Amino acid sequence: ITRKGKLKVTFSNVVTETGSTMLIERENYYVNGNKVEGQIEYKNTTTNADTPQWTRKVINGIFTDLEGEVYSNSGSHTIKQTAGVGSSQLDDNTYQMTEGTHTVSKQNGGTITLTVKETLVKNYNCDYISEGKLKVESTLLNGIIDYGDGDCDKNATYTQNGIKFSFTM
């Protein structure tokens, strides 16, 4: 992966403090020649020290690919750490995306929206999400991605109009 440009990172306070934010601003930033614009804001929304959580929000997100196609994106989601909080090991960490919606729109009007339908679960030692459901909505797609019941594998299904399609990530 080739990156070019600057990332300006601004902290409002120590990231472990509830209410603190980290704002990432992209300045003339490219990934593999694709221009990436906008800001990402992380906010510590922890209410219980045993379950740290934060929100991630995309602000004025724009992606321009190598062919000049422009995509805008916006959305936010909440992540909480539900296991491994007091441990110095990463292998026992578990993260949950409890809520969130993200929308990507192409300049010609095509749009896809992804919404957490059932909490998504990702264990640090698994390569992929292992549990939960994601709702997919667009002109052609209107269904559910099901990541399974917790098995650490790369299998998932997509269901639309009662027809289930298995796929690997």
Side-chain angles (χ1 to χ4, degrees):
I1 297 175
T2 303
R3 298 175 191 273
K4 179 174 92 169
K6 292 182 183 181
L7 293 175
K8 178 182 173 186
V9 182
T10 306
F11 298 92
S12 69
N13 200 344
V14 179
V15 294
T16 55
E17 290 291 322
T18 299
S20 66
T21 59
M22 176 177 71
L23 183 65
I24 301 170
E25 299 174 80
R26 299 173 177 122
E27 297 177 359
N28 204 25
Y29 192 71
Y30 292 80
V31 177
N32 292 340
N34 300 293
K35 188 170 188 181
V36 184
E37 301 174 81
Q39 303 171 336
I40 298 175
E41 179 189 70
Y42 290 90
K43 183 175 184 178
N44 183 326
T45 57
T46 302
T47 56
N48 177 346
D50 294 332
T51 314
Q53 74 176 30
W54 57 93
T55 58
R56 178 185 184 271
K57 179 168 64 171
V58 175
I59 304 163
N60 299 320
I62 299 172
F63 177 87
T64 306
D65 69 17
L66 296 172
E67 287 78 40
E69 295 288 337
V70 178
Y71 303 83
S72 64
N73 65 84
S74 62
S76 66
H77 61 261
T78 299
I79 301 284
K80 64 171 64 173
Q81 184 177 352
T82 58
V85 175
S87 167
S88 61
Q89 300 293 320
L90 293 174
D91 288 347
D92 62 355
N93 289 3
T94 299
Y95 303 94
Q96 294 184 355
M97 182 182 293
T98 57
E99 61 184 359
T101 298
H102 198 87
T103 300
V104 177
S105 300
K106 192 173 177 183
Q107 61 191 8
N108 69 359
T111 298
I112 187 166
T113 299
L114 306 171
T115 305
V116 174
K117 183 171 174 65
E118 291 181 13
T119 297
L120 304 178
V121 178
K122 168 74 172 70
N123 295 306
Y124 180 85
N125 60 355
C126 293
D127 289 334
Y128 303 98
I129 295 168
S130 59
E131 186 176 342
K133 294 181 180 179
L134 192 62
K135 184 177 182 181
V136 180
E137 297 174 285
S138 72
T139 305
L140 298 175
L141 301 172
N142 191 5
I144 302 291
I145 296 174
D146 186 341
Y147 292 96
D149 294 323
D151 292 336
C152 186
D153 60 25
K154 57 183 176 180
N155 301 320
T157 60
Y158 174 76
T159 304
Q160 181 168 319
N161 297 327
I163 302 170
K164 186 181 283 190
F165 303 90
S166 297
F167 67 94
T168 55
M169 295 178 272

